[in-house]
Amino acid sequence: MTLRALLFSVALGAASLVPAGNAAAESALQQTGALPRGGTYVLSPDSTVASAAIGLWFRAPGAGYDNSTPGIADLAATAAAVAPLASGKSLFALVHSVGGELNVEVYPDIVGIAVVVPASAARRVVAAITAAYYAPAVDEVAVKTARANAAVLGVQQRYETDATLHDLLFKQIFAGGPAHYPPLPTSVAQITSLSTAQISDFAKRAFRSENSILALTGNVDLSSLTAVTDGSGAGRMDPPYDSTLAAVPASATALGFVGGIGLAWIGPPITDEKAATALDFIADYLFRDETGVVPKALDQVGNQALVVGQFITMHDPGVMVVTIGGDHADQARERVLAALSAMQTPLDARTFNAAREAFLYHIASDTETPQERADNLGWYGVEGDPAYAPGIVDGTYARSVRALDPAYIADVVKHYLATPVVVTMQAKESSQ
């Protein structure tokens, strides 16, 4: 899964930059090492572009260290981005002032801060992003801003079928742990119940330098790393925050502001690279917008339902998720299940080879920009396998794709994608 497929992001951005990347030039120079004040870095430079992407990623449980404060990671990460630094300007204000974009990306088990700026601002932003998180100074004003941001995003998400169904499906699959809870606070009471002291304490524990991966791509070089002046230098990264699977995950019905159907299957851990790659291939072949088997079949019968399918690569386990919104969702679900059933029979060689080449092309196009590559390097790094990140030319991921064959794909479908957990979301009747 390329990271941008997920929809849990908390946008704090200004105008987007549009870099045109050269993945081959970048990957040939990729370097990994230890930061002098704790944490690790991955540097993947490309001097042919005018922008720099800087990602700072942490292992952090979205619902708090005892899973009793859902949404605390979101509030802490946002507050740290808007709190004033020693210069008097916040990280967000600095990024905005140079025409860049900042996204706080909060997931059940990890937090990522993704920034894209003109290359000339890279060192200043590296210094600011590491100061904001390695030495967080969260105050009441920053927390107030974070609460307001969370409240707005919470209202927006109620009308986003895909994101809401993701949360509901994870709640059914995982009986406990951070993935049982939505990363974004779901109510005003939940947002306001967390004190500034709680949020500050979480930020100081979660955003330690040694608990981080700093990913730099685009027009950057090793000199950018000398801008890091904060961090304790002691300790090591937290172990992964895996969640407890339900003994028998059950389907469910829920009320929402929009209707939809979600299906999910428990997949392999990130360490099973071949099976995880196979599920990415299946999601691309069946569900990719415009080219996938299911969207094309629905178009042919005039069904306007929106089907989104992806394998979410996580430490242990990954999850295949398909969400369906819009009209005629029941008909679309039957198409999804029929397509998966057909995949239990190996594709013919010609069809498979064309689909595999198309998949490789899609991976390249989905990891074309510095930000996309930085996001993947950060995500796969904190989930436990940085070398497996998609977009590294001739890397582990590309080799895993080349190792796939029709019989193996059919076996993966039979093993992992037989019986889904289903969440049916029914739209509440509006009051008159």
Side-chain angles (χ1 to χ4, degrees), residues 5 35 70 87 115 164 184 193 198 205 215 227 239 246 255 274 310 312 348 382 386:
L35 292 170
S87 65
V115 173
T164 302
L184 190 67
S193 66
Q198 285 177 293
R205 179 174 175 180
L255 287 176
K274 188 175 180 181
Q310 59 185 309
I312 304 173
D348 65 84
V382 292

Side-chain angles (χ1 to χ4, degrees), residues 67-428:
N67 294 307
S68 67
T69 51
I72 193 168
D74 170 84
L75 294 171
T78 306
V82 299
L85 302 174
S87 65
K89 181 180 288 188
S90 69
L91 169 64
F92 171 67
L94 170 61
V95 172
H96 188 275
S97 71
V98 298
E101 181 182 357
L102 183 150
N103 288 286
V104 177
E105 301 177 342
V106 182
Y107 306 92
D109 58 333
I110 61 178
V111 172
I113 317 302
V115 173
V116 181
V117 292
S120 59
R123 277 183 53 81
R124 280 183 291 161
V125 171
V126 168
I129 196 171
T130 51
Y133 288 92
Y134 291 171
V138 172
D139 59 17
E140 290 284 354
V141 175
V143 168
K144 183 178 180 180
T145 300
R147 287 175 179 150
N149 191 67
V152 171
L153 290 170
V155 171
Q156 291 176 350
Q157 184 168 303
R158 294 174 191 174
Y159 297 92
E160 295 175 357
T161 302
D162 186 54
T164 302
L165 285 170
H166 267 84
D167 290 347
L168 292 172
L169 287 164
F170 272 47
K171 182 179 180 180
Q172 296 303 116
I173 289 173
F174 296 102
H180 182 73
Y181 304 95
L184 190 67
T186 56
S187 69
V188 173
Q190 210 170 45
I191 293 170
T192 58
S193 66
L194 298 175
S195 68
T196 297
Q198 285 177 293
I199 295 167
S200 178
D201 288 345
F202 178 91
K204 291 174 182 177
R205 179 174 175 180
F207 304 147
R208 309 180 322 275
S209 59
E210 62 268 27
N211 193 38
S212 72
I213 292 177
L214 178 65
L216 298 95
T217 64
N219 199 333
V220 292
D221 56 39
L222 281 172
S223 68
S224 302
L225 298 173
T226 63
V228 180
T229 57
D230 288 281
S232 66
R236 62 181 61 186
M237 177 171 272
D238 291 350
Y241 289 99
D242 295 335
S243 296
T244 305
L245 288 168
V248 182
S251 297
T253 300
L255 287 176
F257 287 84
V258 290
I261 299 172
L263 304 93
W265 299 259
I266 298 165
I270 195 172
T271 52
D272 191 346
E273 294 172 352
K274 188 175 180 181
T277 305
L279 286 166
D280 281 345
F281 168 85
I282 292 162
D284 185 83
Y285 176 67
L286 292 182
F287 306 119
R288 190 176 181 90
D289 187 34
E290 297 184 355
T291 64
V293 169
V294 171
K296 289 196 293 187
L298 293 174
D299 285 344
Q300 289 175 358
V301 298
N303 187 319
Q304 299 300 309
L306 176 62
V307 177
V308 180
Q310 59 185 309
F311 177 63
I312 304 173
T313 309
M314 297 191 295
H315 178 259
D316 189 15
V319 181
M320 175 73 92
V321 174
V322 176
T323 60
I324 306 168
D327 296 333
H328 308 297
D330 286 323
Q331 182 187 50
R333 175 178 56 183
E334 295 309 310
R335 289 278 181 173
V336 168
L337 296 175
L340 286 168
S341 179
M343 289 287 287
Q344 294 187 24
T345 300
L347 297 170
D348 65 84
R350 183 177 180 179
T351 300
F352 172 77
N353 289 335
R356 185 172 59 182
E357 290 306 308
F359 180 48
L360 286 166
Y361 171 77
H362 295 154
I363 291 298
S365 65
D366 291 343
T367 57
E368 183 180 15
T369 69
Q371 183 172 8
E372 290 163 343
R373 294 194 292 277
D375 282 350
N376 279 327
L377 291 169
W379 173 282
Y380 281 78
V382 292
E383 291 293 3
D385 196 350
Y388 177 57
I392 301 174
V393 175
D394 296 325
T396 304
Y397 193 92
R399 292 195 296 272
S400 295
V401 175
R402 291 293 184 192
L404 300 176
D405 62 71
Y408 182 76
I409 294 294
D411 288 343
V412 166
V413 174
K414 293 173 187 176
H415 183 77
Y416 289 108
L417 304 179
T419 305
V421 174
V422 181
V423 170
T424 303
M425 190 165 61
Q426 300 174 345
K428 298 176 182 177

Side-chain angles (χ1 to χ4, degrees), residues 4-42:
R4 285 292 169 185
L6 275 177
L7 297 177
F8 294 148
S9 295
V10 180
L12 290 172
S16 297
L17 301 173
V18 186
N22 181 334
E26 177 188 15
S27 299
L29 299 172
Q30 187 165 301
Q31 301 174 58
T32 302
L35 292 170
R37 295 177 178 269
T40 59
Y41 71 85
V42 55

